[in-house]
Amino acid sequence: MGEFEVHRVRFFGLVPAGVRCLACHPRGTRLALARTDGAVEVYNFSANYFQEKVIPGHEARSVESLCWAAGDRLFGAGLGGDITEYDLSGLSAARGLDGGGGPIWSMVANSTGTQLAIGCEDGSVKIFQVVPGGIQFERNLDRRKGRVLCLSWHPSDTHIVAGSIDFFRVINVTSGQTVQRIMVNHRVEKAKRECVVWAIALLSSGTVVSADSFGRVQFWDWEQGTLAESHTVSTSAVLSLAVSQKEDSMIVGTSTGATYHLQLLPVRLGGLEKRWVRTKPFQFHSHDVRAVAHSPTALISGGLDAQLVIRPLMEKVQKKSYDAALRKFTFPHRRLVSCARKARLLLFQFSQYLELWRLGSTEETGKDGEVLPLCRMPEHLVQLKSKGPEHIYCSCVSPCGTWLGYSTASRFQLYRVRCDGDGVSLRKVPKVPKLLPPAYQLQFSADSESLFVASARGSVHVLQLLEPGGCKHLHTLRPPSGCSEAVYLLAPSADGHWLAAVTGDWAIHIYNLKCFKHHCVVPNYDCAVSALAIHPSTNNLVIAYSDQQLFEFSIPEKQYTSWSRAVQSRGLHRAWLERDSPITHITFNPKNPSHILLHDTYLLCVLDKSLPLPDDSALLMNQSTLKQLPETARKRQLHAFKICKKFQPLLFMDLLDKNCLVVVERPIMDFKTQLPLPVQQKKFGT
């Protein structure tokens, strides 16, 4: 694998925000997720569950509910009282409308996606019509005392069921009147305690399914007003519920972190009578499961522990394959760390501030695996706070460590960094060119003389950095055929000649920076790009896709290289393709041009192009395991993939020089200790 001096960094204090709500696209192709800090993310199922879009949060915008409507339009609502439509091309909150009923606790779309119903703090249920360019208020339904915490449409769109504290009611949409009101706690001995209906569903059969704070999932005949079935699934609250499209399966989430799967099964084999049967709990989360979703092939849950868990329904999987694997996502599929190689600085991005650190150093040498003592400790140089309620979209520090930039939804800021001995000073660059914010990614050139700003509609702005601390706009690069999507990845070449830019429609455009012209487009591949980089000596573009495929494209020759064609002809190892974490960074070894370094959350890999690719019978072994084998066995296992799993979870990796590597880890338990205490559960023997 090669020997490097490794700076192992564990002082990135990132605490991912918890999952507040989920919305599965009606066609089952995408999943929208909102976090407790107001951020909205979109995962693409067909692109290996890649987090393809991120809209950063806002201090004044909470998101209590998300829903898809009118095809691919995404709406959110929260305690601020506004209904917001998200621009998924421009990655921003596009437009908002006051709901008119105070804080909004719930929102659902009807079966055709043409109407939205919201449940408000003042007890009202309001209907909005989805129209081109926005939404418009249609009418109020019957208002009753008590906040409306959850809603569900009947599949025929004739009725809406609204859950509140101690009761739920069924409303006729045509007349707007309440036709049934059912108390959910009338059978409970301790009726003095409030029973909160946290989630509800109205099935096509007329059955109402309620989930409440007493830990029950109950099935009601709303026309008769009677309880048909009751399942006490938890000693604490049931917080969320989602039903499959066929209405034969559902998932519920609880405040203990457990999720339960309920299925509608025949009482007798071959019989017509069916009952809901509860399976055992699945303890994938440590905290409240506030959000669940049911796709055609999987059960999905999101907890306040920041984890998104996707558990496939085995009966829906046609054959044993990667689709049958359990997936857990905790960290974003994008970089929140940037590195000033020459200055040995790290820039950490948080939601509303940045931290600049200087790496420690050692004068000792040692054997492989030995921990060396530091002669200089890592140093926290400065914290830069973003003004206002907007969260940070992206940030970057220049390779020389003298420039720093970041962007929010409405502001782009550039700073000059000066290190004076042990201190550091920041000076804001005045009169920054008025670019159309936000910037979706920032990338400095290798010589720190230019800054590339990824913008909307496929455009990239090129800024020239001036001494002693200024900048000017040189050019705006645009794809020749136009593009409606924003640029989300950039990769400049080391010689300053080329720039690769990836847009939200997964197209990769190559630009010539000497003449500011569009050079070519990489042949289309139907999957999201997760990382890319240009080789410093060959100007070959190495591309990692979210389905774990790797390509190498010669920029000067405008075609795939012979190595890339050989890889696609032979195929990558099955164990490599079955990984669920996308590659997030690629770099190259200056000591060996045939080495490509890449990493995901769980492994660091050196890909040696000079060695043969492994076939599926070979083992993709961790390097620590490989070293324990005899010399002859190691030679038999020699192939292109050299894998290290020592550093986990791995958020960032880069080469500082030809002998030095920096890795940034964020152990799960380190940030879980900073979360509120979960509901304590009695364990046997304690």
Side-chain angles (χ1 to χ4, degrees), residues 62-356:
S62 76
V63 185
E64 291 291 315
S65 187
L66 285 172
C67 66
W68 297 92
D72 294 329
R73 294 171 65 180
L74 180 64
F75 294 87
L79 301 184
D82 290 340
I83 305 171
T84 303
E85 182 173 3
Y86 295 98
D87 179 359
L88 297 182
S89 296
L91 302 182
S92 62
R95 57 186 71 87
L97 181 68
D98 187 359
I104 300 172
W105 290 93
S106 55
M107 177 176 64
V108 286
N110 65 354
S111 62
T112 58
T114 57
Q115 290 178 311
L116 299 177
I118 62 170
C120 303
E121 175 77 17
D122 65 357
S124 63
V125 176
K126 301 174 184 293
I127 304 293
F128 288 80
Q129 188 175 2
V130 181
V131 297
I135 56 172
Q136 61 185 25
F137 175 73
E138 188 171 320
R139 62 199 180 100
N140 281 314
L141 302 184
D142 187 20
R143 177 179 166 184
R144 296 292 173 93
K145 185 179 179 181
R147 63 175 63 130
V148 179
L149 296 171
C150 50
L151 291 170
S152 178
W153 287 82
H154 190 274
S156 65
D157 299 336
T158 57
H159 293 82
I160 290 177
V161 61
S164 300
I165 297 175
D166 292 333
F167 70 93
F168 68 84
R169 55 196 176 102
V170 181
I171 306 170
N172 185 300
V173 176
T174 304
S175 66
Q177 298 300 310
T178 298
V179 294
Q180 184 64 275
R181 184 176 183 272
I182 297 176
M183 302 294 295
V184 295
N185 63 345
H186 69 285
R187 292 176 178 269
V188 180
E189 294 179 4
K190 299 178 182 179
K192 294 179 181 179
R193 214 173 98 208
E194 285 184 337
C195 181
V196 181
V197 181
W198 284 116
I200 206 157
L202 179 53
L203 308 184
S204 57
S205 62
T207 300
V208 174
V209 188
S210 64
D212 60 44
S213 58
F214 287 177
R216 303 171 304 185
V217 177
Q218 297 184 304
F219 299 83
W220 305 83
D221 182 335
W222 75 262
E223 291 183 337
Q224 301 296 325
T226 56
L227 179 66
E229 289 184 56
S230 182
H231 297 264
T232 302
V233 299
S234 176
T235 55
S236 56
V238 179
L239 300 174
S240 49
L241 178 151
V243 184
S244 67
Q245 288 184 342
K246 293 184 178 180
E247 298 184 352
D248 59 355
S249 171
M250 70 176 65
I251 177 177
V252 297
T254 68
S255 58
T256 61
T259 56
Y260 294 84
H261 184 202
L262 285 82
Q263 292 177 280
L264 187 62
L265 300 174
V267 175
R268 289 187 176 86
L269 189 64
L272 296 178
E273 184 185 358
K274 294 183 177 182
R275 293 183 69 86
W276 287 93
V277 178
R278 184 191 70 182
T279 65
K280 67 175 184 177
F282 295 93
Q283 195 74 41
F284 298 129
H285 302 274
S286 60
H287 288 66
D288 292 7
V289 181
R290 301 285 294 274
V292 292
H294 200 311
S295 79
T297 58
L299 304 177
I300 306 167
S301 58
L304 293 187
D305 58 1
Q307 273 201 131
L308 173 66
V309 178
I310 301 169
R311 186 172 71 87
L313 293 165
M314 299 307 295
E315 65 271 18
K316 303 292 185 182
V317 178
Q318 299 298 323
K319 60 180 180 178
K320 186 179 180 181
S321 65
Y322 181 52
D323 292 333
L326 176 73
R327 303 158 190 258
K328 295 182 181 180
F329 301 123
T330 304
F331 299 103
H333 294 169
R334 61 192 178 111
R335 286 190 293 153
L336 298 177
V337 182
S338 60
C339 176
R341 295 181 179 182
K342 298 172 185 176
R344 304 217 164 191
L345 303 177
L346 289 178
L347 181 68
F348 298 140
Q349 178 182 318
F350 298 85
S351 60
Q352 286 196 288
Y353 63 93
L354 305 172
E355 286 185 355
L356 189 65

Side-chain angles (χ1 to χ4, degrees), residues 548-550 563-577 612-616 620 641:
Q548 315 302 353
Q549 291 290 347
L550 298 172
W563 180 83
S564 182
R565 296 179 192 278
V567 168
Q568 294 308 309
S569 175
R570 182 184 179 91
L572 293 170
H573 195 282
R574 181 172 55 86
W576 177 267
L577 296 175
L613 292 169
D615 55 32
D616 285 347
L620 280 187
F641 287 88

Side-chain angles (χ1 to χ4, degrees), residues 641-659:
F641 287 88
K642 298 175 174 62
I643 291 172
C644 173
K645 295 185 178 181
K646 184 176 182 178
F647 313 109
Q648 293 186 10
L650 186 56
L651 300 190
F652 179 77
M653 173 278 300
D654 205 358
L655 276 171
L656 299 175
D657 56 44
K658 63 181 181 180
N659 297 314

Side-chain angles (χ1 to χ4, degrees), residues 594-665:
S594 66
H595 284 186
I596 303 171
L597 280 74
L598 23 76
H599 82 87
D600 63 14
T601 309
Y602 302 106
L603 63 82
L604 187 159
C605 176
V606 176
L607 179 57
D608 190 343
K609 290 168 55 183
S610 65
L611 294 177
L613 292 169
D615 55 32
D616 285 347
S617 62
L619 296 175
L620 280 187
M621 282 193 288
N622 192 352
Q623 289 297 295
S624 60
T625 306
L626 202 59
K627 287 177 182 177
Q628 298 172 7
L629 299 178
E631 184 69 23
T632 54
R634 281 207 300 270
K635 288 183 178 180
R636 287 198 303 269
Q637 296 291 339
L638 195 63
H639 54 69
F641 287 88
K642 298 175 174 62
I643 291 172
C644 173
K645 295 185 178 181
K646 184 176 182 178
F647 313 109
Q648 293 186 10
L650 186 56
L651 300 190
F652 179 77
M653 173 278 300
D654 205 358
L655 276 171
L656 299 175
D657 56 44
K658 63 181 181 180
N659 297 314
C660 192
L661 186 73
V662 59
V663 297
V664 179
E665 300 172 275

Side-chain angles (χ1 to χ4, degrees), residues 551-601:
F551 288 81
E552 186 181 49
F553 182 81
S554 172
I555 294 177
E557 297 177 7
K558 300 183 182 180
Q559 64 179 3
Y560 289 120
T561 64
S562 57
W563 180 83
S564 182
R565 296 179 192 278
V567 168
Q568 294 308 309
S569 175
R570 182 184 179 91
L572 293 170
H573 195 282
R574 181 172 55 86
W576 177 267
L577 296 175
E578 289 180 354
R579 293 166 27 255
D580 61 3
S581 181
I583 297 296
T584 53
H585 186 52
I586 300 172
T587 190
F588 305 95
N589 185 356
K591 289 193 297 186
N592 193 330
S594 66
H595 284 186
I596 303 171
L597 280 74
L598 23 76
H599 82 87
D600 63 14
T601 309

Side-chain angles (χ1 to χ4, degrees), residues 288-571:
D288 292 7
V289 181
R290 301 285 294 274
V292 292
H294 200 311
S295 79
T297 58
L299 304 177
I300 306 167
S301 58
L304 293 187
D305 58 1
Q307 273 201 131
L308 173 66
V309 178
I310 301 169
R311 186 172 71 87
L313 293 165
M314 299 307 295
E315 65 271 18
K316 303 292 185 182
V317 178
Q318 299 298 323
K319 60 180 180 178
K320 186 179 180 181
S321 65
Y322 181 52
D323 292 333
L326 176 73
R327 303 158 190 258
K328 295 182 181 180
F329 301 123
T330 304
F331 299 103
H333 294 169
R334 61 192 178 111
R335 286 190 293 153
L336 298 177
V337 182
S338 60
C339 176
R341 295 181 179 182
K342 298 172 185 176
R344 304 217 164 191
L345 303 177
L346 289 178
L347 181 68
F348 298 140
Q349 178 182 318
F350 298 85
S351 60
Q352 286 196 288
Y353 63 93
L354 305 172
E355 286 185 355
L356 189 65
W357 287 72
R358 180 187 284 126
L359 290 170
S361 59
T362 183
E363 296 175 351
E364 304 291 329
T365 59
K367 297 179 181 179
D368 183 25
E370 188 177 344
V371 178
L372 303 179
L374 294 177
C375 64
R376 181 170 181 168
M377 297 300 292
E379 185 181 359
H380 182 198
L381 297 177
V382 69
Q383 183 184 88
L384 177 61
K385 293 185 178 180
S386 170
K387 295 181 180 178
E390 297 172 340
H391 289 188
I392 296 172
Y393 269 66
C394 61
S395 60
C396 193
V397 62
S398 65
C400 66
T402 61
W403 299 92
L404 184 155
Y406 76 90
S407 175
T408 65
S410 63
R411 293 182 299 119
F412 165 64
Q413 303 284 6
L414 184 64
Y415 290 84
R416 183 69 163 167
V417 183
R418 296 194 183 278
C419 295
D420 304 317
D422 292 335
V424 64
S425 63
L426 292 179
R427 187 173 67 86
K428 186 177 176 181
V429 175
K431 298 180 181 179
V432 173
K434 292 184 178 180
L435 309 174
L436 186 64
Y440 301 103
Q441 195 188 23
L442 300 173
Q443 190 73 48
F444 288 91
S445 61
D447 58 9
S448 300
E449 293 183 0
S450 301
L451 173 62
F452 306 106
V453 182
S455 190
R457 299 189 176 278
S459 61
V460 180
H461 304 293
V462 183
L463 305 183
Q464 182 183 5
L465 305 176
L466 306 172
E467 296 291 347
C471 69
K472 70 175 182 178
H473 181 254
L474 284 183
H475 196 78
T476 297
L477 305 169
R478 292 186 176 89
S481 58
C483 179
S484 62
E485 297 282 339
V487 174
Y488 72 95
L489 278 179
L490 293 172
S493 63
D495 60 8
H497 199 119
W498 308 104
L499 177 71
V502 186
T503 52
D505 56 2
W506 306 342
I508 306 174
H509 297 273
I510 311 294
Y511 297 96
N512 187 322
L513 295 176
K514 298 301 181 183
C515 58
F516 296 118
K517 298 290 185 182
H518 187 270
H519 179 66
C520 67
V521 179
V522 176
N524 185 47
Y525 181 72
D526 193 23
C527 203
V529 180
S530 63
L532 78 168
I534 299 175
H535 197 285
S537 57
T538 64
N539 277 335
N540 289 338
L541 177 66
V542 178
I543 311 161
Y545 289 93
S546 61
D547 63 354
Q548 315 302 353
Q549 291 290 347
L550 298 172
F551 288 81
E552 186 181 49
F553 182 81
S554 172
I555 294 177
E557 297 177 7
K558 300 183 182 180
Q559 64 179 3
Y560 289 120
T561 64
S562 57
W563 180 83
S564 182
R565 296 179 192 278
V567 168
Q568 294 308 309
S569 175
R570 182 184 179 91

